[in-house]
Amino acid sequence: TETNMTLKDEVKRARLMKFASAAFYAFCSFFIIVMTATIIILYVAKMNKAIHFQDFDKSIPGKIFPLPLLYVGNHVTGLGGTQKLSLPMFTVLRKFTILLTMIMESRILRKSFAPPLVCSVLAIVVGALVAASSDLSFNAEGYTFVLLNDVFTAASGVYTKKKLGMEGLGKYGVLFYNAFIIIIPTVLASAYTGDLEKALTFEGWMSVTFVFYFLLSCVMGFILMYSIILCSYYNTALTTTVVGAIKNVAVMYIGMFIGGDYIFSWTNFIGLNICISAALIYSYITFHSSGSSETNVKPAEDKLSIHITENHLEKT
């Protein structure tokens, strides 16, 4: 019947958007995040009525928090962890983000995951443990930083998904107000430490080449942030995290042939293959299911569009 055909088309479209948004995020994750570009691009788009999100009022801080705090904590602990640990050990500890995301999403967002998805997540963690088993160096400060980074990353992903469903914010509101709130203390901290003065007096500003690449990195920073939000909007927070893990393992594969600093060992190689295999199995199950593998709640924007469509059909 016509109704069944419509439902099948909607299912196909949902699968396509889930896959496309995840691939978009994975590609853009190679580039850096720049908050200023996010604010400028979204503000200009809003002024030109290309996009819409709620104007600032006293309800915005309550709606957007704790995302800014989680974002800052994520980057501070991430920078601290990379300085204290070897790359293999850093990689294995970061894989616990996936497990923490699954736990937080089930607790905070009340999502349930099918046993095959749970097994694939556990296999990713096991693969990371195998990959790093030949490097058992212990650094208490480094372990603390990275494990805290895992918590902040997982919480940030889960709360991003939660905020996307809030009325008035949507994809663009979450992006804009998160960046807007973060940039104020960031500028103040930079001024206090003297980094802002160093940036303003940097001699490279007179170079056209430097300015071009700087602006390009700013734009790609915005695209990266948008791709993360888009992936979280159409998928679960867990899927966004797994896509990031696939990207990281892919980078390590590339590093085997480019760079010359990869030291081959069968243990590490087998562990990496377990990771990527489990991540691909997770992706296959997720993108080839019709919703039974993950209990997902559509964001407010989707609900609104569905409601409008239904009303329009009733009138016609």
Side-chain angles (χ1 to χ4, degrees), residues 29 215 255 288:
S29 293
L215 293 177
H288 285 76

Side-chain angles (χ1 to χ4, degrees), residues 219-238:
V219 173
M220 292 310 303
F222 164 73
I223 294 176
L224 167 62
M225 294 186 66
Y226 180 69
S227 68
I228 295 173
I229 294 293
L230 192 67
C231 188
S232 298
Y233 183 79
Y234 286 106
N235 301 280
T236 63
L238 179 60

Side-chain angles (χ1 to χ4, degrees), residues 85-153:
L85 295 176
S86 63
L87 180 59
M89 189 53 65
F90 178 80
T91 302
V92 65
L93 292 177
R94 285 293 291 149
K95 290 297 183 290
F96 282 97
T97 301
I98 302 172
L99 183 60
L100 289 172
T101 301
M102 184 174 66
I103 294 172
M104 289 186 184
E105 200 163 14
S106 63
R107 296 288 185 178
I108 297 173
L109 301 183
R110 303 298 180 185
K111 295 186 183 297
S112 58
F113 299 94
L117 290 180
V118 176
C119 291
S120 62
V121 167
L122 294 176
I124 293 172
V125 176
V126 170
L129 289 170
V130 172
S133 61
S134 58
D135 182 10
L136 300 177
S137 56
F138 178 78
N139 183 299
E141 186 178 355
Y143 273 52
T144 302
F145 267 113
V146 177
L147 292 175
L148 283 174
N149 187 231
D150 292 344
V151 173
F152 279 118
T153 303

Side-chain angles (χ1 to χ4, degrees), residues 39-296:
I39 296 172
I40 295 173
I41 292 172
L42 290 178
Y43 183 77
V44 171
K46 181 177 171 63
M47 290 299 99
N48 287 278
K49 297 182 179 181
I51 61 173
H52 173 75
F53 54 87
Q54 180 181 338
D55 294 329
F56 185 84
D57 58 36
K58 62 181 180 181
S59 69
I60 290 296
K63 285 184 176 181
I64 202 68
F65 275 93
L67 269 186
L69 296 178
L70 295 173
Y71 186 86
V72 172
N74 184 19
H75 283 270
V76 170
T77 54
L79 291 173
T82 54
Q83 297 175 351
K84 302 293 182 181
L85 295 176
S86 63
L87 180 59
M89 189 53 65
F90 178 80
T91 302
V92 65
L93 292 177
R94 285 293 291 149
K95 290 297 183 290
F96 282 97
T97 301
I98 302 172
L99 183 60
L100 289 172
T101 301
M102 184 174 66
I103 294 172
M104 289 186 184
E105 200 163 14
S106 63
R107 296 288 185 178
I108 297 173
L109 301 183
R110 303 298 180 185
K111 295 186 183 297
S112 58
F113 299 94
L117 290 180
V118 176
C119 291
S120 62
V121 167
L122 294 176
I124 293 172
V125 176
V126 170
L129 289 170
V130 172
S133 61
S134 58
D135 182 10
L136 300 177
S137 56
F138 178 78
N139 183 299
E141 186 178 355
Y143 273 52
T144 302
F145 267 113
V146 177
L147 292 175
L148 283 174
N149 187 231
D150 292 344
V151 173
F152 279 118
T153 303
S156 180
V158 172
Y159 275 99
T160 295
K161 181 67 176 180
K162 183 177 182 179
K163 300 301 180 181
L164 285 171
M166 298 196 71
E167 184 179 357
L169 287 180
K171 299 187 292 290
Y172 304 112
V174 169
L175 264 176
F176 181 84
Y177 289 116
N178 186 44
F180 182 77
I181 292 173
I182 287 173
I183 201 170
I184 297 174
T186 301
V187 171
L188 293 175
S190 300
Y192 177 77
T193 59
D195 290 336
L196 182 61
E197 183 180 355
K198 292 178 181 178
L200 294 174
T201 58
F202 179 59
E203 296 179 356
W205 294 117
M206 304 303 295
S207 170
V208 177
T209 304
F210 170 78
V211 172
F212 171 77
Y213 284 116
F214 175 78
L215 293 177
L216 182 62
S217 68
C218 290
V219 173
M220 292 310 303
F222 164 73
I223 294 176
L224 167 62
M225 294 186 66
Y226 180 69
S227 68
I228 295 173
I229 294 293
L230 192 67
C231 188
S232 298
Y233 183 79
Y234 286 106
N235 301 280
T236 63
L238 179 60
T239 297
T240 303
T241 306
V242 172
V243 171
I246 295 174
K247 178 262 301 180
N248 292 334
V249 175
V251 170
M252 293 195 70
Y253 273 114
I254 295 172
M256 294 179 185
F257 305 98
I258 301 174
D261 58 347
Y262 177 77
I263 302 174
F264 179 84
S265 72
W266 280 109
T267 305
N268 181 268
F269 184 72
I270 292 172
L272 288 178
N273 279 280
I274 294 174
C275 280
I276 195 67
S277 299
L280 291 175
I281 291 171
Y282 175 94
S283 301
Y284 179 83
I285 296 172
T286 300
F287 298 133
H288 285 76
S289 67
S290 59
S292 59
S293 295
E294 297 176 352
T295 304
N296 210 346

